[in-house]
Amino acid sequence: MTALKEKLHISLLLLSTVCTILLIHNANSENAASCGPNFPNVCICGHQLYESAVKFVVNCSNAGLTNTSVLEYMPEEVQILIFTGNNIPELPWNVFGSINDYKNLTIVDMSSNHIREIRGKSYHHVQNVQRLILNHNNLSISRNDDVVNHHHPRVFSNFLNLQSLHLTDAFDDNSSPQLSEDLHDIFVNSQLVNLQKLHLEQNEITHFKDRKVFCDLPSLRDLHLGDNLLKEINFEVRCLKNLRFLDLERNKFEFVKTHDMMFLNELENRVDRTTNLIIDFNLNPFVCDCKLSSFHTWVLSTNITVRKKESLECYNKNYSNPIRIMEMDMRDCAAAIAAATMMFNTAAEARYGKAKEELPHFNSHTVTLIFLLIVLSMILLGLVIALVYISRDKIKYMITPVFDNVAKKVQYTSIKDEDCPEVHV
């Protein structure tokens, strides 16, 4: 009975495979006709095997196109658009037409098209697209461009169900230092509340000027920042409660700062988290010195899963081959750190003692005399004020004639000046 079930299972599997092959063959034989007259012959349209499933694909890879006009005439049943390897410096308004409604379109791949600018109204009728791929372009999103403003903060606002955004090597090599601010502005205004995966590899990112650049992506689960120039985690991670994978491989980390590890632990220990965080530090140029001691301890003790931690390596100028970080003996570093701390405390105490010695010393007798002098001065000042107040009428009587006499002299002097004849020269 078991053998019969196995044979039946194998027969069904073979039948399914044959049907799939026949379907693909029939689709390929009809590709030229199904694309329509507006498409060049190199474009392929029809059912194809895409990521282990049969989908209706429009494929215009390396077609030599210089504009996107053909995309207005795609078959309505299109599910996957592959439009790569062309030369489209600027995406115009309504790339997919103004009246078309591609309800089945879920994946758009427009990689390697030399795209520099995507206008704010370029993408319409993409409400069901779940994956947008813009890898290997020359995008400029800066609002400070010397020639023209390429910043369109609502560029992705029509991707209502976007779950995966691929921007690997997508930006101009001379991108503005304010890239993180421009990205944050786009994330906020495009309202990518369903975005789960973000790829920003190979963009020569050195740091994030806007620390909250990713905080308006509430559903973000996978953040890929590999192959950049980061030396620290200088962006806020504690706001990403759903983050499950942080890719930092092949950056420029020489060590990991203590507050970065602390912030990662705070994220992992949030009470509203439902998944374990995985982080990848592999293939960074870690330096084999005592600055790695805290990182070594953290990797062994944290609840975060450090991916391939056994293969983490550091480099020492005295050795040609890298050293496995997890195999390093950090006991000497602990002693060195303790000694340095003791020396710091001793130096601080010495500075405090020296400063204390330079202060003037007062005994109790001197302090008492100073206090009495202050009290007597205040009493004397009070008596003078009281005396002036009591004798105010007498003082007024004595001072009034003096003021009157001065006023009369001023008046006489003014009259005398007015009587002087005018002299003409």
Side-chain angles (χ1 to χ4, degrees):
M1 188 70 178
T2 304
L4 181 60
K5 287 183 178 180
E6 289 180 356
K7 290 181 180 179
L8 182 60
H9 178 71
I10 293 172
S11 300
L12 290 174
L13 183 61
L14 289 173
L15 181 61
S16 176
T17 304
V18 170
C19 290
T20 302
I21 294 173
L22 289 175
L23 181 62
I24 294 172
H25 176 74
N26 291 333
N28 287 336
S29 64
E30 299 173 356
N31 279 335
S34 61
C35 276
N38 296 296
F39 282 80
N41 293 331
V42 292
C43 291
I44 300 174
C45 302
H47 289 91
Q48 299 179 20
L49 191 65
Y50 186 89
E51 295 183 350
S52 70
V54 176
K55 303 285 186 179
F56 192 99
V57 179
V58 173
N59 190 338
C60 286
S61 297
N62 303 310
L65 297 172
T66 57
N67 61 68
T68 59
S69 60
V70 298
L71 300 182
E72 299 182 30
Y73 306 100
M74 291 191 299
E76 291 185 0
E77 62 267 36
V78 59
Q79 295 173 286
I80 314 293
L81 170 62
I82 303 175
F83 190 85
T84 63
N86 296 291
N87 188 11
I88 318 289
E90 179 182 316
L91 294 187
W93 287 4
N94 300 321
V95 169
F96 301 127
S98 57
I99 60 174
N100 300 322
D101 190 9
Y102 298 110
K103 295 181 179 180
N104 298 319
L105 185 61
T106 57
I107 298 176
V108 174
D109 185 355
M110 301 189 74
S111 300
S112 304
N113 283 314
H114 305 283
I115 301 173
R116 178 165 176 77
E117 181 177 7
I118 302 176
R119 294 189 174 274
K121 298 181 180 180
S122 292
Y123 289 117
H124 278 185
H125 311 291
V126 290
Q127 65 271 16
N128 292 323
V129 172
Q130 298 178 8
R131 187 192 309 173
L132 175 62
I133 308 172
L134 293 168
N135 298 336
H136 308 297
N137 280 294
N138 301 313
L139 293 176
S140 175
I141 60 172
S142 173
R143 71 193 83 186
N144 299 317
D145 196 290
D146 294 334
V147 181
V148 64
N149 182 11
H150 290 142
H151 187 63
H152 305 291
R154 291 179 54 82
V155 64
F156 301 130
S157 60
N158 290 314
F159 291 92
L160 303 180
N161 292 292
L162 191 66
Q163 298 180 12
S164 181
L165 178 58
H166 296 248
L167 296 171
T168 299
D169 189 28
F171 300 103
D172 185 11
D173 291 340
N174 297 316
S175 293
S176 166
Q178 286 77 34
L179 176 63
S180 60
E181 294 180 345
D182 297 329
L183 278 175
H184 191 187
D185 198 23
I186 290 173
F187 295 155
V188 171
N189 287 280
S190 295
Q191 298 183 357
L192 301 176
V193 295
N194 295 312
L195 190 69
Q196 298 182 18
K197 296 182 180 182
L198 177 61
H199 290 261
L200 287 170
E201 302 99 320
Q202 302 176 26
N203 282 302
E204 301 181 1
I205 301 172
T206 57
H207 66 284
F208 291 97
K209 187 176 181 180
D210 185 346
R211 290 187 58 88
K212 295 185 177 181
V213 56
F214 305 117
C215 286
D216 287 276
L217 302 174
S219 302
L220 190 63
R221 296 171 63 83
D222 299 343
L223 178 56
H224 297 263
L225 296 171
D227 293 288
N228 279 293
L229 305 175
L230 295 170
K231 293 185 176 181
E232 60 177 321
I233 308 174
N234 72 323
F235 56 90
E236 186 59 70
V237 295
R238 292 171 293 181
C239 59
L240 304 174
K241 70 174 184 177
N242 294 307
L243 190 66
R244 66 180 180 184
F245 180 58
L246 178 58
D247 173 23
L248 294 169
E249 63 179 344
R250 289 187 295 272
N251 272 273
K252 297 297 180 182
F253 284 84
E254 296 182 356
F255 66 98
V256 182
K257 293 185 176 181
T258 302
H259 61 75
D260 289 342
M261 294 181 284
M262 180 181 67
F263 292 157
L264 289 170
N265 282 342
E266 289 183 15
L267 170 63
E268 179 65 14
N269 295 329
R270 282 185 55 153
V271 295
D272 54 351
R273 280 184 59 81
T274 58
T275 185
N276 176 246
L277 176 62
I278 301 173
I279 190 167
D280 193 342
F281 278 110
N282 277 281
L283 302 176
N284 274 282
F286 289 114
V287 177
C288 300
D289 59 20
C290 287
K291 288 184 179 180
L292 277 182
S293 176
S294 57
F295 178 65
H296 180 275
T297 303
W298 178 79
V299 171
L300 295 174
S301 60
T302 184
N303 293 327
I304 297 171
T305 300
V306 180
R307 190 178 182 187
K308 299 179 182 178
K309 61 184 177 182
E310 295 80 8
S311 62
L312 288 171
E313 296 178 336
C314 63
Y315 299 86
N316 190 314
K317 61 182 180 180
N318 297 323
Y319 299 95
S320 58
N321 296 323
I323 300 172
R324 294 288 177 90
I325 295 178
M326 293 296 100
E327 297 176 2
M328 292 177 63
D329 187 354
M330 293 293 181
R331 287 175 296 181
D332 293 339
C333 282
I337 292 172
T341 303
M342 184 178 296
M343 290 176 61
F344 174 80
N345 292 336
T346 303
E349 290 175 0
R351 288 195 297 270
Y352 174 75
K354 184 178 180 180
K356 187 175 180 181
E357 290 175 0
E358 292 175 352
L359 291 174
H361 295 278
F362 300 104
N363 55 31
S364 59
H365 181 66
T366 304
V367 173
T368 303
L369 288 177
I370 294 174
F371 177 73
L372 289 175
L373 181 61
I374 294 173
V375 171
L376 290 174
S377 299
M378 294 179 66
I379 293 173
L380 180 61
L381 180 61
L383 290 174
V384 171
I385 294 173
L387 181 62
V388 171
Y389 179 76
I390 293 171
S391 305
R392 65 185 182 278
D393 294 335
K394 187 175 181 180
I395 293 173
K396 181 179 180 182
Y397 176 77
M398 294 173 63
I399 293 178
T400 300
V402 177
F403 281 117
D404 292 341
N405 189 25
V406 172
K408 288 178 181 180
K409 287 184 177 181
V410 172
Q411 185 177 3
Y412 292 151
T413 303
S414 301
I415 294 172
K416 184 178 179 180
D417 293 337
E418 291 175 359
D419 293 339
C420 292
E422 184 177 0
V423 178
H424 298 278
V425 180

